[in-house]
Amino acid sequence: MKLGFVSDSLGGVPFDQLLDHATRMGLSGVEVNTCGWSTAPHFNLKAMLGNRDAQKCFLQGFADRDLEVISLNANGNPLHPTDPTQGEGLKDTIRVAGEMGIKTVCTMSGLPAGSPNDTMPNWVVSSWPPETQVILRYQWEEKLLPFWEEIVALAKENGVERIALEHGNQCVYNVPSLLKLRQAVGPTVGANLDPSHLFWMGADPLIVAEALGDAIYHVHAKDTFLNTPKQAVTSLLENGSLMDVPARSWSYITLGFGHGEEWWRQFCYRLKMAGYDGWLSIEHEDVLLNSMEGLEKSVALLQGVMPSATADFRPQAI
């Protein structure tokens, strides 16, 4: 496995310094945010599109430090009912990735409105009342599947081999929904396995790794703090401010502060068992810890537990 981080983890750091920090911490690459819910301070998507000189200059910064571009990340809602720029951002990200020879794009599946008359995204997480099923049929059949057929065709046209999906509050948010979309549109689509989201949705990332197997295309290393006293009275269905950690039943947190080193050791091993030997990309979103400190602590934890060398054990001929 190889270790890197998401560029927004150090969103306030200039691009060259961000790459220098990656080198200083002994990392192998950086995943680059391009649009959507990110201001993308390190990558001007519109300026990069079709601009070979700008692309070459960007990639040279990585090459000069022996770093790789892990992936491009269009982290938004590409099926937002009133904001088409998020879907166009994903399409442009795929086009730029193709031009730059980057084979993996990370994004979300998208969350449409619940009907043609709605203007707000609608996430259905129960099977009752009955109208929930009407909403799901509309979202999947009228919006999600046609969109992803188009996106898969665009990815193939541009040489992008893997589109890795993550997150709750999207049509694809767990194993069954990911596999359902893959079955419909093909293996260009896979999972960005991010345990932090699975924690707050009540799933077990260790078992999810096994269930997804070769559908795992990317891994975000991000932890979640489960605040047991709050969870006991509010559940994990939490809509309080992300900035008020003490008041929430769960919060994103620096690696090791939510789940310890032993859990992350097991996670890495479960990924190997599932056949995954790719990137672990740290995503720092801890509101209480300094971003550099949080990233450094996360790096130190993973460097101690992740396998990095090729397995070479063979039974002796006896």
Side-chain angles (χ1 to χ4, degrees):
M1 295 181 185
K2 294 188 287 187
L3 185 59
F5 65 90
V6 179
S7 60
D8 272 3
S9 299
L10 295 179
V13 175
F15 176 64
D16 285 336
Q17 291 182 28
L18 179 144
L19 297 182
D20 289 339
H21 283 303
T23 301
R24 174 181 61 82
M25 288 185 276
L27 303 179
S28 300
V30 176
E31 175 183 343
V32 181
N33 294 100
T34 64
C35 61
W37 298 320
S38 171
T39 59
H42 305 110
F43 194 90
N44 187 328
L45 181 57
K46 292 298 183 184
M48 285 286 184
L49 185 61
N51 188 335
R52 299 294 187 179
D53 290 338
Q55 294 169 14
K56 183 178 179 180
C57 182
F58 184 83
L59 292 173
Q60 192 62 47
F62 284 79
D64 289 344
R65 298 166 177 84
D66 197 26
L67 295 170
E68 298 179 53
V69 179
I70 299 172
S71 68
L72 298 184
N73 189 327
N75 62 336
N77 178 1
L79 283 169
H80 196 286
T82 60
D83 183 9
T85 63
Q86 298 193 52
E88 291 304 313
L90 171 58
K91 293 175 184 178
D92 284 345
T93 297
I94 291 171
R95 295 183 181 108
V96 169
E99 292 171 352
M100 298 175 73
I102 298 166
K103 300 301 183 182
T104 301
V105 168
C106 298
T107 188
M108 287 75 179
S109 65
L111 185 64
S115 80
N117 301 318
D118 292 346
T119 59
M120 297 295 287
N122 191 329
W123 190 33
V124 174
V125 292
S126 69
S127 56
W128 192 90
E131 55 264 30
T132 60
Q133 303 311 296
V134 177
I135 292 170
L136 285 173
R137 282 194 295 272
Y138 168 76
Q139 290 179 322
W140 277 80
E141 296 173 12
E142 302 296 325
K143 293 296 181 179
L144 189 75
L145 294 182
F147 177 78
W148 277 100
E149 288 169 356
E150 177 187 357
I151 293 297
V152 166
L154 182 67
K156 291 178 178 178
E157 178 184 333
N158 286 274
V160 172
E161 298 174 355
R162 296 170 296 273
I163 301 180
L165 305 182
E166 65 158 325
H167 223 290
N169 292 286
Q170 300 285 301
C171 284
V172 172
Y173 62 93
N174 60 10
V175 172
S177 54
L178 187 280
L179 296 181
K180 178 180 178 181
L181 182 60
R182 270 172 65 87
Q183 184 177 23
V185 303
T188 300
V189 170
N192 175 4
L193 179 50
D194 185 330
S196 69
H197 304 305
L198 296 169
F199 285 137
W200 68 257
M201 289 187 285
D204 187 335
L206 303 180
I207 307 304
V208 167
E210 178 181 359
L212 287 172
D214 62 6
I216 303 173
Y217 286 174
H218 191 71
V219 172
H220 271 174
K222 188 169 72 172
D223 207 347
T224 297
F225 167 60
L226 301 177
N227 190 351
T228 305
K230 294 298 181 183
Q231 180 183 338
V233 294
T234 67
S235 82
L236 289 172
L237 303 179
E238 174 64 73
N239 58 14
S241 169
L242 289 169
M243 304 302 292
D244 193 355
V245 174
R248 291 177 56 84
S249 61
W250 63 267
S251 297
Y252 298 130
I253 201 168
T254 300
L255 267 64
F257 285 64
H259 296 77
E261 180 178 301
E262 178 59 25
W263 188 91
W264 286 97
R265 192 185 306 276
Q266 287 290 314
F267 181 59
C268 290
Y269 206 79
R270 290 278 186 168
L271 289 171
K272 290 282 284 186
M273 289 170 61
Y276 183 78
D277 199 27
W279 287 95
L280 301 180
S281 185
I282 297 168
E283 187 175 28
H284 176 84
E285 293 184 359
D286 188 331
V287 303
L288 294 184
L289 262 65
N290 172 271
S291 57
M292 187 67 71
E293 179 185 12
L295 181 57
E296 289 173 343
K297 290 182 183 299
S298 297
V299 167
L301 185 149
L302 284 180
Q303 285 176 332
V305 304
M306 61 177 278
S308 56
T310 303
D312 60 357
F313 177 80
R314 297 291 183 274
Q316 296 185 31
I318 57 175

